[in-house]
Amino acid sequence: MSAPRRLCPECRREIAVVAGRFARHDPAGARSGAELVSCPGSRRQAPVAPALQPSLDGSRVPDFPGQLPLF
């Protein structure tokens, strides 16, 4: 299972979000020399995203409260 991805606020690249933080990554663009530099957005707290999936089995739960039909 792959980690969800979101845009980094610094480099605007799509980066994996692991445990609520952006994964460590290089800044966008070519490297200068042999040194490794992390993007300033690395390991930054990721904003909470709205739920992308309403349910596990694909059925939609009605927006109004109340008893759901059994069958």
Side-chain angles (χ1 to χ4, degrees):
M1 183 172 165
S2 63
R5 295 181 171 271
R6 296 199 211 137
L7 291 179
C8 173
E10 294 290 327
C11 64
R12 310 305 296 167
R13 288 174 48 201
E14 198 171 68
I15 304 299
V17 174
V18 180
R21 294 185 177 272
F22 290 104
R24 189 173 304 277
H25 60 281
D26 295 335
R31 288 186 186 155
S32 59
E35 65 185 47
L36 297 175
V37 178
S38 292
C39 173
S42 290
R43 303 296 301 146
R44 182 181 284 184
Q45 189 76 27
V48 177
L52 300 176
Q53 183 174 346
S55 69
L56 294 176
D57 64 357
S59 62
R60 175 108 166 91
V61 178
D63 294 330
F64 59 88
Q67 177 69 38
L68 297 176
L70 294 176
F71 300 102

